[in-house]
């Protein structure tokens, strides 16, 4: 800076702004009831610099950690439609409606990253199991017996996909290839089960 500007800055006691922490927030609301919230905070540019610089200085060190076979497991559960409704009737009895749709997803397997070739490829061996259950009822309370009189439905589906997925990306030819084959097993596998 020019000498005069330096004097003005000293007299005004102006300081340069320091790098603050990097902050990010995510809020997702699914089906008006399933709420997902995530935050990223307390990551300054200095912290990011300390973590990324060693990776860029010595990428072969991290290659041994990335390449090869790595197991993974992903399980999630959510109630996609939790609904409870209370409706007054002309006779004064409450009509009660309740509906739920719990969903469970499980993906287990391993990722095999091949770094020996000039163009890296990876293979994913995964077993997908998903179960979906829908149950609901409509009813009212009987004033004479003090019990609930209701009718309902329960529907259940189970999906089981034991597949081997081979994914290869050729950057030179700009080709993306996916090959899916079933696992070899000696016993039968129920791929889809449904009951009402």
């Amino acid at each position: 800076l020019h000498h005069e500007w330096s004097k003005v800055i000293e007299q005004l006691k102006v300081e340069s702004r320091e790098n603050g922490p990097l902050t990010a927030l995510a809020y997702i609301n699914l089906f008006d009831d399933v709420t997902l919230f995530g935050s990223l905070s307390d990551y300054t540019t200095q912290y990011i610099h300390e973590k990324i610089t060693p990776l860029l200085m010595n990428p072969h060190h991290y290659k041994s950690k990335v390449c090869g076979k790595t197991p993974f497991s992903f399980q999630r559960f959510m109630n996609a439609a939790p609904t409870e409704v209370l409706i007054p009737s002309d006779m004064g009895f409450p009509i009660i409606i309740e509906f739920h749709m719990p969903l469970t997803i499980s993906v287990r397997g391993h990722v095999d990253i091949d770094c020996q070739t000039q163009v890296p490829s990876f293979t994913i061996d995964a077993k997908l199991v998903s179960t979906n259950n829908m149950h609901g009822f409509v009813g009212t309370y009987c004033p004479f017996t003090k019990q609930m009189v209701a009718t309902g439905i329960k529907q259940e589906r189970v999906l089981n996909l034991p597949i081997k997925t081979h994914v290869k990306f050729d950057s030179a030819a700009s080709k993306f290839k996916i090959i899916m084959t079933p696992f070899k097993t000696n016993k039968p596998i129920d791929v889809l089960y449904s009951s009402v």
Side-chain angles (χ1 to χ4, degrees), residues 54-151:
L55 173 63
L56 297 175
M57 297 298 284
N58 189 7
H60 295 292
H61 172 70
Y62 294 95
K63 186 178 175 182
S64 62
K65 293 181 179 180
V66 172
C67 297
K69 198 177 274 192
T70 306
F72 67 88
S73 179
F74 174 81
Q75 284 90 26
R76 286 293 177 263
F77 170 81
M78 70 175 184
N79 190 356
T83 307
E84 295 178 10
V85 181
L86 190 64
I87 303 171
S89 66
D90 291 339
M91 294 180 62
F93 303 130
I95 299 172
I96 300 163
I97 302 170
E98 192 170 322
F99 182 77
H100 296 282
M101 195 167 74
L103 173 69
T104 305
I105 297 172
S106 172
V107 182
R108 298 170 107 187
H110 64 271
V111 179
D112 191 5
I113 301 175
D114 183 15
C115 299
Q116 301 299 325
T117 59
Q118 189 174 6
V119 179
S121 65
F122 61 93
T123 304
I124 301 172
D125 294 332
K127 182 178 180 182
L128 170 68
V129 177
S130 174
T131 177
N132 181 324
N133 190 339
M134 292 187 299
H135 59 275
F137 69 87
V138 177
T140 187
Y141 285 105
C142 178
F144 310 113
T145 61
K146 306 288 187 201
Q147 292 182 344
M148 187 169 185
V149 179
T151 183

